Amino acid sequence: MRGKWRVAAAMGLLAMQAPTAISAQTTESQAVTTTAFERRTAQLVDVINGNIAFADYFAPSFQTAISEGQFKAMTAGLVAQYGRAVTAEQAVSADGRSGTLQLLFEKGAATVVLDVGVAPDDRVTGLRLISFTMADDSYDRVAAEIDALPGQTGFLVAEIDGAVVRPVASAQVDRQFAVGSTFKLYILDELAAQVEAGKRRWSDVVPLAHLSFSSVATANWPVNTPVTVQTLANWMISVSDNGAADTLIHLLGRDAIQARMRAAGHADPSRNIPFLTTVEAFALKGNNFANLRDAFVQNDDAGQRKIVETNANRLVLENVDGVSFTAGPRFIDTLEWFASPNDIARLMIDLRARKSEAAMAAMAINNGVGPTAGEPWRYLGYKGGSENGVMSMSLLGQRKSDGKWMVVTASWNNPEANVDTSHLVGFVTRLLALAAR
């Protein structure tokens, strides 16, 4: 539900970019390193393997974002999935502090971006793994590993030919999954449609009138700050800003977005009617509205709409119980935004049919998988969503090799426990690499 509900605000430095590890063969390279970047590159495999203390390698800023326990859990899971690292190579840095390197694993390879602090404390401030390739990979292999995840999973890799979806690989394509902030693509689609109809312009200036919880771009901004609708769209998609999303929902109209969702081919639109703002959803999920939540879940669309409208002055940011969201999943089967892999594919068709440069550009600001994974694609747009127990990743791409358009989408729900986001990032990156062939 939240655009990027994370255990730690900067967790994307490791978990949301892709898989992990580094070389076990560092003895010779340590003898010839001359810069902080090279020294830390040479040491990284020992950090992964537990041979160097976490606090000795990572700067305080990194330790604040990701605890030692979280780091060990993530690396253990990734090494279990992709095998041990065997070497680090092709390390390149222009300034001796930040750069990239290639990691070779028993089962594949990854590209790593490493940032090192300023002397004398040259500990690592940033570690991002932005792409991953698996040796001798296949759709069947990825499908089996996705299916083995706890909870419910589904994915689709398909060619998009006009309005036709041609599946290449898939599982549970018609199951309705909680998709978190992926729902914001329906808002983008309706915005593009209203611009296309001449009702709005991308340059229209509107007030940032509806702030929300967990908003990366608009946190602590003054209410009613003037911004363009294109800025709101860019924030909403690229960093999943909830304040931008809620402002656009109120601007475009709940009914209009619901109609767009139906027109885009959602198989079960009632799951998302009324089309909740993020603040409304957060409030209903929280401990402050337990009785109202029960009534909402048990009602039909009209009854739910009446509950939201009647309690509009209560379902506000000031009444969101943020403490409720610090533990495990909350009502992800009944109170969320839902879509199937096939719904997402049809939504991508609808968005592409708008022929809106601004909408497509908004999706391409953050491709979700990094520059290396995006290299085979002439265009690559992305939207993801996550909250406790929920993760979803969806990409629309045009291959450089033949100009064909492809959709890669996957969702993972577990109502019993939080999901390890790094696993799905790795699987989707692998699916994207297979789709690029």
Side-chain angles (χ1 to χ4, degrees):
M1 177 165 294
R2 289 150 46 181
K4 297 290 179 186
W5 287 10
R6 299 190 178 110
V7 176
M11 198 164 174
L13 288 174
L14 181 64
M16 287 300 294
Q17 293 296 334
T20 323
I22 290 244
S23 161
Q25 302 175 358
T26 59
T27 303
E28 292 184 7
S29 61
Q30 286 174 337
V32 297
T33 56
T34 57
T35 69
F37 172 79
E38 291 171 326
R39 288 194 299 275
R40 295 306 183 184
T41 295
Q43 294 172 334
L44 186 51
V45 69
D46 288 327
V47 175
I48 300 297
N49 293 337
N51 298 325
I52 295 178
F54 179 78
D56 288 345
Y57 187 78
F58 291 108
S61 59
F62 190 99
Q63 296 177 48
T64 298
I66 302 176
S67 71
E68 183 174 5
Q70 291 168 338
F71 180 79
K72 288 183 176 179
M74 288 185 288
T75 54
L78 292 170
V79 169
Q81 183 177 358
Y82 301 107
R84 290 180 60 83
V86 294
T87 190
E89 58 185 35
Q90 300 179 37
V92 177
S93 173
D95 60 5
R97 290 182 49 230
S98 298
T100 62
L101 57 136
Q102 294 294 310
L103 301 181
L104 302 184
F105 296 83
E106 294 173 327
K107 302 177 183 178
T111 299
V112 178
V113 176
L114 189 68
D115 301 310
V116 180
V118 179
D121 187 359
D122 61 354
R123 285 178 288 180
V124 168
T125 58
L127 174 64
R128 291 181 291 149
L129 290 95
I130 57 177
S131 67
F132 187 86
T133 57
M134 182 73 78
D136 301 320
D137 213 1
S138 69
Y139 286 120
D140 288 343
R141 183 176 180 180
V142 180
E145 293 179 33
I146 291 176
D147 185 60
L149 294 171
Q152 298 80 43
T153 58
F155 77 93
L156 172 66
V157 177
E159 179 188 345
I160 300 300
D161 185 3
V164 178
V165 178
R166 293 198 173 95
V168 175
S170 64
Q172 300 282 358
V173 291
D174 292 316
R175 184 186 181 106
Q176 292 291 317
F177 291 94
V179 294
S181 283
T182 302
F183 84 95
K184 293 167 184 173
L185 288 175
Y186 286 109
I187 304 173
L188 181 67
D189 195 16
E190 175 56 21
L191 174 57
Q194 292 191 15
V195 171
E196 182 182 24
K199 186 176 181 179
R200 303 189 189 281
R201 296 174 301 174
W202 291 104
S203 60
D204 286 348
V205 176
V206 298
L208 178 65
H210 298 275
L211 302 183
S212 183
F213 185 61
S214 186
S215 296
V216 175
T218 63
N220 302 316
W221 276 51
V223 177
N224 294 327
T225 297
V227 291
T228 68
V229 295
Q230 185 168 10
T231 297
L232 291 173
N234 288 344
W235 283 340
M236 177 180 70
I237 300 301
S238 66
V239 295
S240 212
D241 188 272
N242 290 324
D246 284 4
T247 296
L248 285 172
I249 291 174
H250 284 279
L251 178 70
L252 303 175
R254 199 191 310 263
D255 291 337
I257 298 169
Q258 291 171 177
R260 180 59 48 200
M261 177 177 59
R262 292 189 187 96
H266 195 293
D268 191 5
S270 178
R271 296 297 299 271
N272 300 324
I273 296 175
F275 200 90
L276 296 175
T277 67
T278 65
V279 165
E280 290 166 348
F282 297 155
L284 287 169
K285 277 180 172 278
N287 292 331
N288 290 338
F289 293 98
N291 293 337
L292 196 63
R293 176 176 59 246
D294 291 341
F296 180 88
V297 170
Q298 293 167 12
N299 256 284
D300 59 12
D301 293 352
Q304 290 179 341
R305 177 68 174 262
K306 184 176 181 180
I307 288 172
V308 171
E309 291 178 345
T310 302
N311 293 276
N313 64 334
R314 299 175 61 206
L315 299 174
V316 294
L317 182 58
E318 290 75 13
N319 290 333
V320 171
D321 173 25
V323 176
S324 302
F325 305 103
T326 59
R330 293 185 67 83
F331 315 106
I332 66 171
D333 290 334
T334 56
L335 186 54
E336 240 278 356
W337 298 278
F338 298 91
S340 70
N342 270 334
D343 291 334
I344 298 298
R346 290 188 286 265
L347 171 57
M348 293 297 194
I349 287 174
D350 208 54
L351 273 162
R352 184 169 162 248
R354 296 275 152 258
K355 297 182 179 179
S356 169
E357 292 183 6
M360 296 290 278
M363 293 172 60
I365 294 171
N366 170 16
N367 72 14
V369 292
T372 303
E375 195 280 331
W377 300 90
R378 186 177 302 162
Y379 170 86
L380 191 62
Y382 167 78
K383 186 72 192 83
S386 64
E387 69 161 288
N388 294 335
V390 173
M391 188 175 180
S392 177
M393 297 180 69
S394 298
L395 298 107
L396 172 66
Q398 184 183 30
R399 289 193 301 223
K400 289 181 180 178
S401 59
D402 57 11
K404 290 184 177 180
W405 287 85
M406 304 291 292
V407 168
V408 176
T409 180
S411 290
W412 179 15
N413 292 173
N414 187 354
E416 304 300 324
N418 294 339
V419 299
D420 185 342
T421 57
S422 60
H423 285 322
L424 196 66
V425 171
F427 291 136
V428 170
T429 303
R430 290 164 60 190
L431 290 173
L432 187 69
L434 290 167
R437 296 178 181 175

